[in-house]
Amino acid sequence: MTGSEKTKRPVQPGRWARTAVLYVVLSAAAIVVLFPFAWMIMTALKQPGTEFDPEFFPKQPTLENLKRVFTEFGFVRYFLNSSIVAVSSALFATLFASLAAYAFAFKNFILKEKVFAVIIASMMVPGLMYVVPQFAIINRLGWMNTYRAMIVPHLANVFGLFLLRQYMTTIPKSLIDAARIDGANDFQVYGRIVVPLALPVVATLFLLTFQFHWSNFLWQLIVTNKESLYTVPVGLSMFKQQHEQLYALKMAASAVSIVPISVIFVFAQRYFIEGVTKGAIKE
Amino acid sequence: MRYLVLAVCVTALLACTCAKEAVKEGVVITVWETYNSEERAVFLELVDRFHEVNSGITIEAVNIPFDGLEPKILTSLATQTAPDVARVDVGFLPKIAVRGALHPLDEYGVESIKDEIRPVALSSCVLDGKTYGMPDQVNGLCLFFNVDLFKAAGLDPETPPETWEEFVEYAKTITDRDKGVFGFGMRNSLWWSLPFIYSFGGDILTPDMSRCALADEGAVAGFQFKVDLYAKHGVEGGAWRSGGIRDDMGFQNGKYAMIFNGPWAVKGLQQAGIDFGVALIPSGPAGHATNVGGNNLVVFSTSEHPREATKFLMFIASRESQAKWANELGQIPVNVLADELIDFDSHPYLGVFMEQMKYAKPRPQIGGYPEIENDVNPEMQAALDGKKPVLAAMKSACEKVGVVLADEEALKASFKE
């Protein structure tokens, strides 16, 4: 099919059918993705003890689980903690990654490529390997049971550095040179030219790090020994006890825990999708 | 604008980290526990009582998610930041004890209370003659049966099956494949197979713990019987298969008339409005038998106050504490002197659970027990699936267990040096 055919024949039965098939397939995929979420919400509305009754809609829907999650189980505090940790981690990790990426993309210094290679190579080490040494450092610093312990060790984000540097190298050098000729210093070039141009990728990185920290479990569990510092994932795991799982409560808390990520995603969706495709093509 | 955001964040970050610690006087014992919210309420009451009679000792209880406890303990051991006391699963105790992470409590007077502790529970704390903890919970599997399904099949719920022969008979009467109802639902894992293995006279290891006994006559016969329930008699609903209806869910939904379960399941089933009964696990050629599960309180070797910590452990295991624990939570008291203080009217099933514990047999006290489970379970799965004859599966399981035992010897030798 060529472009000229398209303009000549406005109505194409084949095209209509194709669109219909596309919609059917997409709808089916959407149902597959959304069904577990729907199930989670329905379970959250069931009476405790009836979670496994073979029915989709609860017979006697109740908001009691939701209420108990916030009154009996301290999820207000857990949400506050998670927000503090995830927002500051994501902000600072993105900031540092973009600054470093700027240096690696536009500045010249000794052993630049080698240093970059070493940093990238560190991505090959599985994250779990860092847990004990990082924990030892945090402990010696006396940072146990602080927000710092949950935030600081994750601020150097190699993946983010790589992602942003790769994108920044696609920004025409002439643009940077033009700004320099106009008298802009490095921070001005970074803040006024590079970051705005790289905004989709920066926003993507922010989202990904936010999501990572929002759902991080193991690290936040081991550096805190106080319930007042527990984050949402740690709080959620309290519903799985040795012999029983409090499914209705767990689902109620889980349903609330996805709200921040969903809201941020909806607002940042434009950037996010742009960002994912932008990094892919190098012109 | 950008700098403003930055400044706000930095301030927020600094503000958040300034939480101050209150300084407590006297000895502070930190306890990592994994109780659920009801147990925790009773536990905190016991802590208050302990404080009343022991001024100068403060117990600080930290509630840890059950699944997070073991990684947290292992990390804290690697960095010498373990708490004074933790509540650990009976299967986890030997693993850390052989590595020298626990304080033996014998020198702090546990001898005086040992006679009162339920023997199966106490044995899960003892390793190479030393006592490494005090039990705080002990239980084992029993037979749960659905009263309605029994009645529907014309069986008397007052007389549950007493032997395995009767059990198969009952199960056959109940099984109705058209309705998807089965007499029994079971799990695959070594621990969940132990009632079969023990009641046929088998065991995991030989009594001197030198050799795997799973390929010996008793264990093979017991496990063969388990496999037959599904493959030969057709009375088991395939609950152990991936994608099958799990035993406890099937029991709640009236698909399986009988399952194995423990005291912890009672409340959930009552809440769900199920009419059910509890009986001893049917007896085999070697009589009645069941496995042992539960939790122990342990003192870590890094604790600066092992004497005070032990005092607290003994307080929790005492007759009065255990009577309160049993009466408020419906759990088996670890202290046998507490038995006479139990109100069986409010806990109708507790008597059966306690009776069953008389026939309970603890697992071998070796650090590699979790590895044994990991090695044996796939072999058992293959036998259940009919991919391997039972004897062949048990033999290859034993080969792997042999490796675990050799590793254990090497590990112990390295810690003795």
Side-chain angles (χ1 to χ4, degrees):
Chain A
M1 192 192 308
T2 63
S4 59
E5 271 177 326
K6 218 188 267 173
T7 46
K8 269 181 202 163
R9 288 161 56 183
V11 183
Q12 272 187 341
R15 167 169 304 201
W16 190 87
R18 212 170 293 172
T19 315
V21 169
L22 187 68
Y23 270 81
V24 168
V25 171
L26 287 179
S27 311
I31 290 173
V32 168
V33 172
L34 290 178
F35 184 75
F37 289 98
W39 191 270
M40 170 173 77
I41 291 167
M42 287 307 151
T43 307
L45 298 175
K46 285 182 180 176
Q47 307 277 357
T50 66
E51 293 101 325
F52 293 111
D53 288 3
E55 60 193 12
F56 185 71
F57 294 104
K59 278 197 198 89
Q60 297 162 299
T62 171
L63 287 175
E64 191 60 23
N65 299 319
L66 205 60
K67 203 177 120 196
R68 285 183 63 197
V69 160
F70 286 103
T71 51
E72 282 174 44
F73 288 90
F75 265 80
V76 175
R77 185 74 211 207
Y78 303 161
F79 268 96
L80 180 71
N81 293 337
S82 271
S83 308
I84 291 169
V85 170
V87 170
S88 19
S89 301
L91 260 181
F92 283 105
T94 313
L95 177 75
F96 295 154
S98 61
L99 283 169
Y102 176 83
F104 278 109
F106 301 115
K107 305 302 283 183
N108 276 317
F109 47 90
I110 322 162
L111 294 174
K112 183 172 116 173
E113 294 306 320
K114 292 213 169 81
V115 170
F116 189 67
V118 169
I119 294 177
I120 293 301
S122 73
M123 277 173 83
M124 300 295 160
V125 182
L128 274 178
M129 299 283 295
Y130 296 123
V131 169
V132 170
Q134 277 184 341
F135 181 80
I137 294 171
I138 291 296
N139 185 47
R140 296 251 174 93
L141 288 171
W143 285 10
M144 282 295 291
N145 295 320
T146 62
Y147 288 113
R148 273 173 295 182
M150 290 188 258
I151 297 166
V152 175
H154 299 104
L155 292 187
N157 187 333
V158 177
F159 166 73
L161 165 63
F162 178 70
L163 185 77
L164 284 170
R165 190 200 93 122
Q166 292 312 92
Y167 184 70
M168 285 180 188
T169 52
T170 66
I171 296 173
K173 198 94 171 121
S174 48
L175 210 58
I176 313 293
D177 293 339
R180 298 314 284 261
I181 290 165
D182 287 344
N185 65 25
D186 271 325
F187 281 102
Q188 284 166 323
V189 175
Y190 164 81
R192 302 233 172 113
I193 298 183
V194 175
V195 169
L197 280 173
L199 199 57
V201 183
V202 171
T204 305
L205 181 62
F206 177 83
L207 259 180
L208 290 177
T209 39
F210 178 85
Q211 196 216 348
F212 173 80
H213 288 282
W214 187 262
S215 43
N216 191 359
F217 169 70
L218 184 66
W219 179 253
Q220 296 172 3
L221 168 77
I222 62 174
V223 296
T224 50
N225 291 331
K226 273 198 227 157
E227 267 171 82
S228 60
L229 281 167
Y230 282 177
T231 53
V232 172
V234 180
L236 280 177
S237 72
M238 304 289 258
F239 293 127
K240 181 172 189 291
Q241 296 159 352
Q242 184 174 16
H243 296 293
E244 57 172 344
Q245 292 229 37
L246 308 172
Y247 288 103
L249 290 168
K250 193 179 199 171
M251 292 303 132
S254 303
V256 185
S257 80
I258 61 168
V259 170
I261 291 180
S262 317
V263 169
I264 292 185
F265 189 83
V266 167
F267 277 109
Q269 197 177 24
R270 197 165 54 90
Y271 290 120
F272 187 67
I273 289 163
E274 215 179 313
V276 170
T277 50
K278 262 212 171 143
I281 304 157
K282 192 174 169 181
E283 290 172 284
Chain B
M1 177 60 197
R2 200 177 323 275
Y3 295 104
L4 184 68
V5 173
L6 185 63
V8 169
C9 294
V10 172
T11 331
L13 199 61
L14 292 177
C16 293
T17 50
C18 296
K20 286 227 174 72
E21 291 282 324
V23 184
K24 292 203 174 76
E25 280 176 27
V27 174
V28 178
I29 305 287
T30 314
V31 181
W32 285 1
E33 41 86 359
T34 51
Y35 297 114
N36 65 31
S37 40
E38 288 162 0
E39 290 169 336
R40 186 168 159 80
V42 180
F43 180 72
L44 291 180
E45 278 177 47
L46 289 176
V47 167
D48 284 343
R49 277 196 199 175
F50 180 76
H51 285 159
E52 277 167 28
V53 286
N54 293 282
S55 56
I57 306 178
T58 309
I59 303 296
E60 225 178 57
V62 185
N63 196 219
I64 310 281
F66 188 80
D67 273 354
L69 182 73
E70 292 181 12
K72 213 171 145 80
I73 287 182
L74 295 176
T75 322
S76 71
L77 287 175
T79 49
Q80 314 255 308
T81 52
D84 297 285
V85 174
R87 175 188 193 239
V88 300
D89 189 87
V90 291
F92 187 64
L93 183 143
K95 185 173 172 176
I96 46 178
V98 292
R99 287 167 172 78
L102 300 181
H103 219 303
L105 309 178
D106 305 276
E107 54 185 298
Y108 304 117
V110 286
E111 205 61 45
S112 64
I113 196 176
K114 265 178 159 179
D115 293 343
E116 304 172 15
I117 305 295
R118 213 166 282 281
V120 280
L122 183 67
S123 68
S124 69
C125 299
V126 179
L127 200 80
D128 295 334
K130 288 182 189 157
T131 314
Y132 286 101
M134 275 284 121
D136 90 311
Q137 187 188 51
V138 63
N139 48 47
L141 292 174
C142 279
L143 185 73
F144 282 54
F145 57 92
N146 185 311
V147 170
D148 294 333
L149 287 178
F150 264 49
K151 282 183 185 157
L155 297 167
D156 182 6
E158 295 300 315
T159 57
E162 277 178 25
T163 63
W164 285 125
E165 289 80 39
E166 273 182 44
F167 175 81
V168 173
E169 237 171 77
Y170 273 59
K172 277 184 178 162
T173 314
I174 295 163
T175 302
D176 183 344
R177 287 175 168 271
D178 297 335
K179 283 192 202 148
V181 173
F182 290 87
F184 188 50
M186 64 191 184
R187 289 191 198 189
N188 171 46
S189 87
L190 179 58
W191 192 74
W192 287 81
S193 304
L194 289 176
F196 293 108
I197 292 174
Y198 290 157
S199 62
F200 279 78
D203 207 336
I204 304 172
L205 302 179
T206 51
D208 60 355
M209 300 211 296
S210 64
R211 185 176 64 79
C212 168
L214 287 172
D216 296 0
E217 204 183 331
V220 171
F223 192 65
Q224 181 71 55
F225 178 75
K226 177 171 178 172
V227 173
D228 285 348
L229 288 175
Y230 173 75
K232 188 174 147 199
H233 303 302
V235 295
E236 200 277 337
W240 47 274
R241 290 185 303 182
S242 52
I245 302 174
R246 268 178 49 154
D247 52 354
D248 46 354
M249 296 178 197
F251 188 73
Q252 249 192 51
N253 291 337
K255 298 286 175 199
Y256 308 140
M258 293 182 275
I259 57 166
F260 288 170
N261 219 332
W264 58 85
V266 168
K267 204 182 118 236
L269 289 169
Q270 284 173 334
Q271 244 179 20
I274 313 285
D275 190 3
F276 67 102
V278 179
L280 296 187
I281 288 184
S283 64
H288 286 292
T290 195
N291 49 14
V292 180
N295 292 278
N296 297 328
L297 290 166
V298 296
V299 178
F300 287 99
S301 48
T302 46
S303 170
E304 285 170 19
H305 310 290
R307 184 174 298 279
E308 290 82 356
T310 309
K311 205 168 184 182
F312 177 65
L313 264 51
M314 287 164 64
F315 174 82
I316 293 294
S318 69
R319 178 173 182 253
E320 288 70 27
S321 302
Q322 285 300 309
K324 182 178 166 70
W325 192 262
N327 279 328
E328 297 204 13
L329 299 164
Q331 297 186 6
I332 302 167
V334 298
N335 191 315
V336 289
L337 299 183
D339 289 6
E340 56 187 18
L341 301 174
I342 290 178
D343 167 17
F344 287 104
D345 291 334
S346 8
H347 302 291
Y349 305 109
L350 195 50
V352 183
F353 293 130
M354 288 167 62
E355 173 73 11
Q356 180 79 71
M357 287 322 284
K358 288 182 189 160
Y359 308 103
K361 193 167 172 178
R363 285 168 271 179
Q365 283 292 81
I366 62 166
Y369 181 79
E371 279 85 60
I372 291 186
E373 278 264 344
N374 288 340
D375 289 340
V376 173
N377 292 348
E379 296 295 339
M380 288 187 154
Q381 183 83 18
L384 283 163
D385 273 328
K387 288 182 188 145
K388 262 190 188 178
V390 168
L391 185 62
M394 294 308 228
K395 275 188 175 155
S396 42
C398 265
E399 275 170 32
K400 295 179 190 165
V401 172
V403 177
V404 176
L405 290 178
D407 288 350
E408 181 94 0
E409 281 308 309
L411 185 75
K412 272 188 186 169
S414 75
F415 273 95
K416 266 180 195 139
E417 275 163 20

